[in-house]
Amino acid sequence: FQESGRIKPIGTYADNQLLVLYGKKVFEKDGNTIAAVDWILDSFTNPSESINDKVFYISNWENSPEVEVSLGLDRNDNHKYSFLEIINGLKNNQELIDQLKNKSEEEQTSVEKQIVAIYNKIVHYDEMVNGMICLLPIIEVQNQTIKDYLELYRGNVSYSFFMRNIQKFRVLLEGLLNTKEEDWTEAHFDLSKIAMQLQNITQYSYAQNVKIIPSENEMFKGTWFSPWEILNNAEITDNQKNLLMHYENFFSAHLDNNIGLKNEYASKIVSAVSIMDKNLKPNLLSKETRFHKMGLFFKSMLCYFLAFFIIGLSWMFKPVLFRKVSLALVAFGFLLHAYGLSLRMIIMQRPPVTTLYESILFVCFILVLCSLIFEYVRKDTIGLLIAAIGGTMLHFVGLKYAAEGDTMGMLVAVLNSNFWLATHVTTITIGYGVSLVAGLMGHIYLIYATIRPNDNKELTKIFNNIYGLTLMALFFTMFGTILGGIWADQSWGRFWGWDPKENGALLIVLWHLMMLHLRVSGLVRKIGYAYGVSLVNIIVALAWFGVNLLNVGLHSYGFTDNVATNLFIFIGFEIIFMTTMY
């Protein structure tokens, strides 16, 4: 499958579609749990039944209750609805849809935007499930004479079969048209029935959003087309005909529940596509399939989360034993994390820092790495605590972004440079990670100063850690910002343009510089320095996520209401917590 310019295995494509529509990577039907890939194959091969599957999740978390009321849906506890239920709701509220068509996005209310989003999902789903109907064996050929002429060895064939053999079929049709109806034989009647079935199937020719056939035209090199687009084309190459035949056989095997034949034709499909598009790397497709099945980042988050509770137990009893257990959990989670990032790098052939989701994963990796280094030096569980808290929180945020669909999207041209991704972006995200470690270390200083204000020896150790982390964070953020300016000069012809993302990076650098100057000059004491460095978490969050809410600048990822709400909650909690501790 080619989606958003990237070639991906059917498993990844199915996961992405089900996540966007259903919110999960498995579909629950009649008490059974169905894998995404099985769900999408069932939808492709039985579209008339799939419209009754309750695959659309309209959650109260992301949508207002008014959405279901506006669509005339019978509200249920699980907020899951079928295509048929929603499409009927839209038909019954045609006046609302007509009003929305005449409104710009800026004029739409929040509820109206949510309705438009659901409408777009309905359209996408309709085009997706009907995209393969031309490859299904749903046209029955009864007459033996026609079977012999078309060299058919089975009764049911696809629309695609007739289009691939259009020259032979045209001869039959001409014979039908040139024969008076009163002179029709059994073969003529069967042929007339076939023609009507073919005409009926063409009503689905609009379903063209599933791209599975590579183009062999130099003008469209690297572009893939849907089966309908290929079949509607006057010229179909031999390789494309061969590939269409493999897909037909694959779907027939799925309908017959013949796993052996499915695997055989799946291999033939991959081989045929490899010949047509040299960019396809079958070994990377298998790695991507394995990567998604393993769920490495979720398992890593569980390890960090469990480590947090074990650390709490270590403070109450058996500190040596439970520290070792928590260390083992964090280390194992870190290895899973590192393996997941490595696989993403191999699959995408680039550093794993190109999107907001990837930056979360990488910053989380750096945070845990720095924390483990500090734990190795100090051996007092503080590093483990930071790793467990930071790792869990960032993984949790990452899972939210992963639930929105494909996390391995293609890059825009200006980002498609492995050199600058490996230097500027990696450096600046390392700076984010170290800054967060410094901020969390500041939190621990404030908590420890509140609990044991007279333990100067331990407080001094923690303060020295904060000071060293600040210097390290300053180096990476400042160096990364300078590299970003060089990249901007080469890409956009200017070193600095006061872009919100550039301003955010600069703000982190200035904050670290301010805190160091305040400490060196003696304007703040240790606790004041810890308080100021703790606030760097807010600065990083604003530079990382906040600038996107402005929806301006060359680095903007786009505006989302949920991000704004969660960001303001985080900022409010941090200010209240730190002020209370201070």
Side-chain angles (χ1 to χ4, degrees):
F1 287 70
Q2 188 185 65
E3 185 184 30
S4 302
R6 191 174 77 83
I7 302 170
K8 58 187 68 172
I10 186 173
T12 300
Y13 179 83
D15 285 347
N16 294 339
Q17 306 310 309
L18 198 56
L19 271 174
V20 170
L21 299 174
Y22 193 67
K24 298 180 181 179
K25 289 186 178 182
V26 292
F27 178 56
E28 296 168 2
K29 181 179 179 180
D30 301 329
N32 298 318
T33 299
I34 303 171
V37 66
D38 293 323
W39 160 77
I40 205 165
L41 287 176
D42 290 341
S43 299
F44 284 154
T45 52
N46 201 345
S48 60
E49 185 178 324
S50 69
I51 62 174
N52 295 306
D53 291 340
K54 295 182 180 296
V55 74
F56 291 89
Y57 178 49
I58 305 178
S59 69
N60 281 338
W61 179 256
E62 295 182 353
N63 299 278
S64 304
E66 291 90 338
V67 172
E68 290 163 294
V69 175
S70 300
L71 294 176
L73 299 171
D74 295 329
R75 296 191 64 188
N76 53 56
D77 293 336
N78 58 21
H79 304 283
K80 295 185 175 83
Y81 304 93
S82 69
F83 173 87
L84 202 57
E85 288 175 312
I86 297 178
I87 203 69
N88 287 334
L90 290 170
K91 287 178 180 177
N92 294 333
N93 290 273
Q94 190 60 46
E95 185 178 341
L96 172 63
I97 301 302
D98 293 337
Q99 289 176 356
L100 292 178
K101 288 180 181 177
N102 297 323
K103 280 187 177 183
S104 65
E105 189 175 347
E106 291 76 17
E107 295 173 324
Q108 293 171 0
T109 65
S110 177
V111 173
E112 288 173 339
K113 288 179 180 178
Q114 292 163 23
I115 292 173
V116 169
I118 292 170
Y119 174 78
N120 291 334
K121 288 180 182 180
I122 283 289
V123 172
H124 175 79
Y125 180 80
D126 181 41
E127 293 189 11
M128 180 183 71
V129 298
N130 289 310
M132 302 298 177
I133 201 168
C134 56
L135 302 176
L136 303 181
I138 56 178
I139 300 175
E140 185 178 6
V141 181
Q142 295 178 333
N143 185 265
Q144 191 60 45
T145 303
I146 297 175
K147 287 183 179 180
D148 293 340
Y149 179 73
L150 295 175
E151 298 180 19
L152 280 177
Y153 304 104
R154 59 185 179 215
N156 287 14
V157 290
S158 68
Y159 175 94
S160 169
F161 172 83
F162 288 97
M163 295 302 103
R164 287 188 288 107
N165 296 275
I166 191 64
Q167 298 302 328
K168 281 188 174 184
F169 187 58
R170 185 177 286 122
V171 173
L172 293 176
L173 287 178
E174 288 175 355
L176 177 67
L177 294 173
N178 293 330
T179 305
K180 293 181 180 180
E181 190 170 349
E182 57 267 23
D183 298 328
W184 278 8
T185 63
E186 182 185 337
H188 288 109
F189 280 106
D190 195 26
L191 194 59
S192 175
K193 182 181 176 181
I194 292 170
M196 285 190 290
Q197 286 180 287
L198 290 171
Q199 181 62 35
N200 186 52
I201 293 174
T202 57
Q203 67 178 301
Y204 300 105
S205 61
Y206 63 86
Q208 300 180 1
N209 69 4
V210 183
K211 313 295 184 182
I212 61 173
I213 313 290
S215 171
E216 292 197 295
N217 189 326
E218 282 298 319
M219 186 182 298
F220 301 106
K221 189 175 182 180
T223 303
W224 287 32
F225 295 102
S226 69
W228 281 111
E229 288 173 305
I230 292 295
L231 293 172
N232 291 337
N233 191 359
E235 297 181 3
I236 306 177
T237 67
D238 290 339
N239 284 333
Q240 289 172 340
K241 288 181 180 180
N242 188 46
L243 183 56
L244 285 169
M245 184 177 65
H246 291 328
Y247 276 117
E248 290 173 34
N249 292 329
F250 175 82
F251 288 125
S252 294
H254 180 76
L255 286 168
D256 296 336
N257 198 27
N258 191 325
I259 296 175
L261 274 180
K262 274 176 64 176
N263 292 335
E264 179 184 337
Y265 286 115
S267 298
K268 288 182 178 181
I269 288 170
V270 173
S271 299
V273 173
S274 299
I275 294 171
M276 299 168 68
D277 192 332
K278 302 302 180 185
N279 292 322
L280 177 68
K281 297 180 176 62
N283 62 319
L284 294 184
L285 292 182
S286 61
K287 280 187 173 64
E288 184 172 340
T289 300
R290 187 171 73 252
F291 169 78
H292 284 288
K293 284 182 178 179
M294 293 172 74
L296 293 167
F297 298 126
F298 179 74
K299 292 175 182 176
S300 174
M301 183 185 73
L302 285 181
C303 289
Y304 296 149
F305 186 67
L306 289 173
F308 173 75
F309 284 100
I310 300 298
I311 290 168
L313 291 175
S314 72
W315 292 338
M316 292 183 285
F317 50 88
K318 295 187 178 180
V320 176
L321 173 63
F322 283 115
R323 178 188 171 275
K324 289 180 179 179
V325 174
S326 61
L327 176 60
L329 282 169
V330 171
F332 185 64
F334 178 74
L335 290 175
L336 292 175
H337 197 156
Y339 183 49
L341 286 177
S342 301
L343 277 179
R344 285 185 69 94
M345 289 178 66
I346 294 170
I347 293 166
M348 300 302 296
Q349 301 288 288
R350 56 171 170 76
V353 287
T354 56
T355 63
L356 193 56
Y357 170 72
E358 289 182 341
S359 71
I360 294 169
L361 293 179
F362 190 72
V363 169
C364 181
F365 174 80
I366 295 300
L367 183 149
V368 176
L369 176 61
C370 288
S371 302
L372 284 173
I373 292 172
F374 270 90
E375 182 62 25
Y376 177 77
V377 174
R378 291 178 53 86
K379 296 180 175 60
D380 58 1
T381 70
I382 291 178
L384 290 178
L385 180 64
I386 293 174
I389 294 174
T392 302
M393 290 180 65
L394 287 176
H395 265 319
F396 183 78
V397 174
L399 287 176
K400 169 64 178 173
Y401 281 93
E404 295 178 359
D406 189 15
T407 63
M408 294 183 176
M410 295 295 289
L411 304 180
V412 295
V414 72
L415 293 174
N416 197 14
S417 165
N418 278 351
F419 173 75
W420 288 112
L421 289 174
T423 52
H424 159 62
V425 183
T426 303
T427 305
I428 201 75
T429 47
I430 290 174
Y432 284 176
V434 179
S435 296
L436 291 176
V437 176
L440 289 172
M441 193 70 76
H443 283 60
I444 290 174
Y445 184 96
L446 293 175
I447 295 170
Y448 203 88
T450 303
I451 298 172
R452 297 182 180 178
N454 298 321
D455 192 347
N456 292 324
K457 182 179 179 181
E458 188 64 26
L459 287 171
T460 299
K461 286 182 180 180
I462 299 174
F463 174 80
N464 290 337
N465 290 342
I466 300 172
Y467 195 80
L469 284 165
T470 306
L471 292 171
M472 192 187 307
L474 174 62
F475 169 79
F476 282 109
T477 51
M478 183 168 65
F479 188 51
T481 303
I482 294 170
L483 287 173
I486 298 171
W487 185 9
D489 185 50
Q490 292 188 5
S491 299
W492 301 316
R494 90 297 188 275
F495 180 84
W496 193 265
W498 298 106
D499 183 273
K501 198 70 175 178
E502 296 170 346
N503 296 340
L506 179 62
L507 186 60
I508 299 174
V509 175
L510 293 177
W511 190 269
H512 286 309
L513 283 171
M514 179 186 74
M515 293 312 305
L516 288 170
H517 279 286
L518 287 173
R519 179 56 190 159
V520 171
S521 62
L523 292 176
V524 294
R525 293 181 300 170
K526 290 180 179 179
I527 193 165
Y529 183 81
Y531 178 82
V533 172
S534 296
L535 291 175
V536 81
N537 287 354
I538 295 176
I539 306 301
V540 170
L542 289 172
W544 196 0
F545 298 96
V547 296
N548 304 324
L549 304 181
L550 301 175
N551 203 24
V552 294
L554 296 169
H555 297 81
S556 177
Y557 299 112
F559 177 83
T560 56
D561 293 327
N562 288 336
V563 171
T565 303
N566 295 334
L567 182 62
F568 293 141
I569 291 173
F570 170 75
I571 292 172
F573 175 80
E574 281 285 86
I575 291 174
I576 293 170
F577 175 81
M578 247 117 33
T579 303
T580 303
M581 290 293 104
Y582 186 66

